[in-house]
């Protein structure tokens, strides 16, 4: 989960840089040279977003996109967090990532606009709207993942407390 969250953090940084570039591109003060430079960086950042989605792995398992991705799968990732069969935690952020409504679609939409970056104020403004959707999508996915990470941390603390209390009770019984 920390690896996926790290990828989302970098995607957020990239999206904010893309927003800066599109905002600069939405100015009439730009000429073709400025738009070309902004567009080149913007297009490269779009490619990097796609690469992060496809190549973020942990232990050989794709995390965000791909056939083996557990986080993108509808069933999510199931963690055994206790000693009984009922003590599990399922992390499912597939809705935040999928190609119909989530981050993957936001990236695809931006790539669809980026046939050569942007060369006019109107094109740059169109990108701004798509970047806002991307930022919201990544934020939503990070929020869902962060909530699961916090829950897992609390569960670990509770299991540790139970272990310590069980050991203390065992020690008391042995002493008696």
């Amino acid at each position: 989960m920390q690896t996926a969250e790290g990828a989302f953090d970098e995607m957020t940084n990239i999206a904010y840089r893309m927003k800066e570039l599109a905002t600069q591109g939405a100015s009439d003060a730009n000429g073709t040279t400025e738009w070309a430079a902004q567009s080149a960086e913007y297009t490269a950042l779009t490619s990097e977003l796609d690469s992060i989605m496809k190549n973020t792995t942990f232990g050989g398992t794709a995390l965000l996109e791909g056939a083996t991705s557990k986080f993108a799968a509808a069933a999510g990732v199931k963690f055994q967090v206790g000693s009984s069969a009922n003590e599990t935690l399922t992390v499912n952020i597939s809705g935040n990532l999928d190609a119909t409504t989530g981050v993957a679609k936001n990236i695809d939409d931006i790539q669809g606009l980026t046939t050569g970056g942007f060369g006019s104020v109107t094109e740059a403004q169109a990108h701004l709207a798509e970047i806002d959707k991307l930022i919201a999508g990544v934020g939503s996915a990070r929020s869902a993942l962060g909530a699961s990470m916090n829950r897992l941390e609390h569960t670990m603390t509770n299991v540790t407390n139970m272990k310590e209390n069980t050991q203390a009770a065992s020690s008391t019984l042995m002493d008696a």
Side-chain angles (χ1 to χ4, degrees):
M1 286 194 286
Q2 291 172 333
T3 301
E5 204 286 323
F8 286 139
D9 183 46
E10 194 54 34
M11 290 173 73
T12 300
N13 294 337
I14 289 171
Y16 281 124
R17 177 61 184 151
M18 290 172 71
K19 187 165 184 160
E20 286 176 30
L21 291 168
T23 301
Q24 292 169 6
S27 172
D28 271 335
N30 290 311
T32 54
T33 304
E34 289 83 6
W35 274 320
Q38 292 162 350
S39 293
E41 183 179 353
Y42 187 93
T43 302
L45 292 172
T46 303
S47 296
E48 185 56 26
L49 282 174
D50 191 49
S51 176
I52 290 171
M53 283 292 290
K54 291 178 180 167
N55 297 318
T56 299
T57 62
F58 181 80
T61 300
L63 297 180
L64 306 179
E65 190 174 279
T68 61
S69 173
K70 302 289 187 196
F71 287 116
V77 180
K78 187 174 184 178
F79 295 95
Q80 184 70 37
V81 295
S83 60
S84 74
N86 293 334
E87 295 177 277
T88 61
L89 171 66
T90 301
V91 178
N92 187 346
I93 60 170
S94 62
N96 301 99
L97 296 176
D98 69 32
T100 56
T101 60
V103 174
K105 178 170 180 3
N106 297 140
I107 293 171
D108 288 345
D109 289 346
I110 289 171
Q111 287 178 321
L113 290 175
T114 309
T115 55
F118 39 85
S120 71
V121 170
T122 305
E123 290 174 5
Q125 288 171 338
H127 284 271
L128 283 171
E130 292 302 325
I131 294 167
D132 286 339
K133 290 180 195 175
L134 174 65
I135 291 169
V138 171
S140 178
R142 285 183 79 179
S143 174
L145 190 60
S148 295
M149 289 171 70
N150 286 337
R151 184 173 172 208
L152 186 58
E153 177 114 7
H154 291 297
T155 300
M156 288 176 10
T157 301
N158 186 48
V159 169
T160 300
N161 288 336
M162 289 188 320
K163 176 186 170 216
E164 289 172 3
N165 290 334
T166 301
Q167 286 176 336
S170 176
S171 178
T172 302
L173 287 172
M174 294 298 278
D175 288 347

